[in-house]
Amino acid sequence: CGEQTAVQTGAQLYGCLGQLYSIKKSGNLKVLLSIGGATYSQNFAGPASSEQGRTLFASSAVDLVKNLGLDGLDVNWEYPVDEVEAANLVSLLKETRKQLDQYSNSLRTKYHFELTFAAPAGPSKYRILDLAAMDQYLDFWNLMAYDYAGGWLVPKTTGHQANLFSAGDASTPFDTKSSVDYYTSHGVASNKIVLGMPIYGRSFTKTTGIGHSFGAVGNGTWEKGVYDYKSLPMDGSSEIYDEKLGASYSWDPTKQELISYDTVEVGRQKARWIKSSNLGGVMWWESSADKKGMDSLIENVVLELGDCIRHAANNVDFPDSSYDNVRNPLVTASIGSEYPLSSETQRHSGIVCTTKAPLDVGTGTALISLPLSWLSSLSSTPSTPSCSTPSPSSTHSTPSTPSSSIHSTPS
């Protein structure tokens, strides 16, 4: 973010949220708050089941938009279990959309605050949802097109965890194309589907290869069985790219370890597929696991997308914020610059789109995740005025929430 002169009058927004708001003021970065996640989604059913609960959820969430200078909200309910909860989800989105619009209408210059949904890629989950009814309230769908395979599988067979296409065998228990086809055949326009990509790999050990049995998972970077992309491939491993499936993995015959993850080749192939399929864009879980330079997945996908990334003017008018440096954007808090977003991420977050189907590009850094229990517990006087060391949990979710809580088995 660069060095900034502190003019501190009243409550200040510090830390990562302060940094993101500072970038917003000088560019086209959009910041949405993602609420929920796998660990905390059990808290959705109660509030969503009554008009009072839905109203309170929406008003609490919109208060965060007002105070933190956000551009919208992402609902991450994993997952409604039946038609009743699916209907309640539609009502929850409707109420949230209404209150976002009411807040917009109160501003000096009206601004469209976005509402999005973290969408499952597994048939048993998305078939429960009333997609067409939800779609009328949503700006786009963040399709979580990953975690197709992992240590939880029964039978224990190694598989691709984020493949575009099906092999028709045990190595591809799910595939992205089938999920996209279902959404578009049930009322969702293709250009509203944002394709999720993993920046991590899932490990299988004691195996002889892809589509074969496995006995365990590797140690992982921060969780057993899960490695950051920047740690891959492991020493002694070779990478295998399957263009037909839109998938890749590394293989160590000595350790008998296979790790399924997206390489640069797969990332670029997916970017081309996004364009050819007229999809709405791309998002990642999660940006701190990426490599730098020529091996960056985010950078390569953005370059492959080229001139079809959308940008639009930011809203920096938040007259009701409880933070002085958000309410008055000319006043800046000393928010620190130890861990700013990379210049490349800042530059590419708002490239002009010259095509008729603009794409959205999002990373975990700009799509912040909080569990429901944190809706009203953000402190206006943090103990430190700078961002903590980036980590899978601190970048995208609350410090108490492991990154795996956002992942979900698309069964």
Side-chain angles (χ1 to χ4, degrees):
C1 298
E3 296 299 326
Q4 300 185 27
T5 302
V7 182
Q8 299 181 3
T9 57
Q12 303 293 309
L13 181 62
Y14 292 114
C16 293
L17 287 165
Q19 286 184 314
L20 289 168
Y21 185 73
S22 179
I23 296 171
K24 275 189 55 175
K25 291 191 297 183
S26 58
N28 298 107
L29 178 69
K30 305 296 184 294
V31 183
L32 277 68
L33 181 73
S34 184
I35 301 173
T39 299
Y40 293 92
S41 284
Q42 61 184 348
N43 295 322
F44 271 109
S49 65
S50 70
E51 182 178 355
Q52 180 182 12
R54 294 188 292 267
T55 300
L56 180 58
F57 170 88
S59 62
S60 299
V62 173
D63 278 346
L64 290 176
V65 172
K66 296 177 184 179
N67 286 320
L68 302 177
L70 303 173
D71 295 283
L73 299 165
D74 175 77
V75 174
N76 189 354
W77 183 349
E78 302 180 25
Y79 301 96
V81 299
D82 53 31
E83 291 184 0
V84 173
E85 289 193 358
N88 290 341
L89 171 57
V90 173
S91 298
L92 185 74
L93 295 175
K94 179 180 180 180
E95 179 63 27
T96 305
R97 178 72 270 162
K98 183 184 79 172
Q99 293 203 32
L100 283 170
D101 291 343
Q102 287 174 343
Y103 174 56
S104 173
N105 291 333
S106 73
L107 298 176
R108 287 164 288 198
T109 301
K110 292 182 180 179
Y111 178 79
H112 179 74
F113 293 96
E114 294 184 329
L115 180 61
T116 69
F117 182 72
S124 69
K125 302 298 189 293
Y126 59 60
R127 286 173 181 163
I128 293 174
L129 302 177
D130 189 344
L131 301 181
M134 294 169 63
D135 188 63
Q136 62 186 310
Y137 304 115
L138 296 175
D139 291 280
F140 56 88
W141 302 69
N142 291 304
L143 183 65
M144 297 183 287
Y146 36 73
D147 289 352
Y148 294 168
W152 58 82
L153 289 177
V154 177
K156 289 189 171 296
T157 304
T158 64
H160 296 289
Q161 71 130 339
N163 49 290
L164 283 177
F165 311 112
S166 175
D169 59 32
S171 70
T172 55
F174 307 95
D175 69 275
T176 298
K177 184 179 185 302
S178 294
S179 299
V180 170
D181 287 347
Y182 184 90
Y183 278 81
T184 56
S185 66
H186 286 75
V188 178
S190 62
N191 62 9
K192 291 180 69 173
I193 298 175
V194 172
L195 181 63
M197 300 185 193
I199 312 187
Y200 61 92
R202 288 207 172 268
S203 164
F204 307 89
T205 61
K206 299 180 181 179
T207 184
T208 56
I210 194 74
H212 296 184
S213 63
F214 69 94
V217 298
N219 290 329
T221 303
W222 38 264
E223 175 189 342
K224 283 190 69 66
V226 181
Y227 289 95
D228 283 350
Y229 166 69
K230 62 188 176 187
S231 302
L232 301 173
M234 308 284 282
D235 291 341
S237 298
S238 57
E239 289 183 330
I240 293 91
Y241 168 43
D242 191 329
E243 184 177 4
K244 183 179 179 181
L245 299 181
S248 55
Y249 62 91
S250 67
W251 168 241
D252 186 332
T254 302
K255 294 181 180 179
Q256 292 190 312
E257 182 173 19
L258 183 149
I259 304 176
S260 172
Y261 61 99
D262 284 1
T263 59
V264 165
E265 291 81 7
V266 170
R268 283 185 171 267
Q269 181 182 0
K270 288 182 176 181
R272 293 190 294 272
W273 189 72
I274 286 170
K275 291 193 289 186
S276 66
S277 301
N278 194 35
L279 300 187
V282 57
M283 66 95 170
W284 290 270
W285 180 265
E286 46 83 5
S287 60
S288 73
D290 200 8
K291 298 179 184 179
K292 298 181 183 296
M294 295 179 62
D295 292 324
S296 164
L297 286 178
I298 295 174
E299 186 72 8
N300 274 279
V301 169
V302 167
L303 291 174
E304 190 69 47
L305 291 175
D307 289 334
C308 35
I309 299 177
R310 175 181 67 155
H311 84 160
N314 277 339
N315 177 52
V316 291
D317 180 21
F318 294 93
D320 303 309
S321 176
S322 59
Y323 297 99
D324 189 67
N325 56 322
V326 175
R327 187 173 60 255
N328 177 6
L330 298 179
V331 176
T332 344
S334 179
I335 60 177
S337 57
E338 296 91 334
Y339 304 103
L341 301 181
S342 74
S343 59
E344 291 302 306
T345 300
Q346 293 179 44
R347 178 167 62 86
H348 287 310
S349 292
I351 298 177
V352 175
C353 175
T354 58
T355 69
K356 61 182 179 181
L359 304 180
D360 285 299
V361 173
T363 72
T365 303
L367 186 66
I368 309 160
S369 176
L370 291 179
L372 293 174
S373 58
W374 277 49
L375 274 175
S376 303
S377 62
L378 293 179
S379 171
S380 62
T381 54
S383 57
T384 176
S386 63
C387 186
S388 59
T389 303
S391 68
S393 58
S394 65
T395 308
H396 309 281
S397 56
T398 66
S400 61
T401 307
S403 296
S404 59
S405 69
I406 306 299
H407 298 156
S408 55
T409 309
S411 55

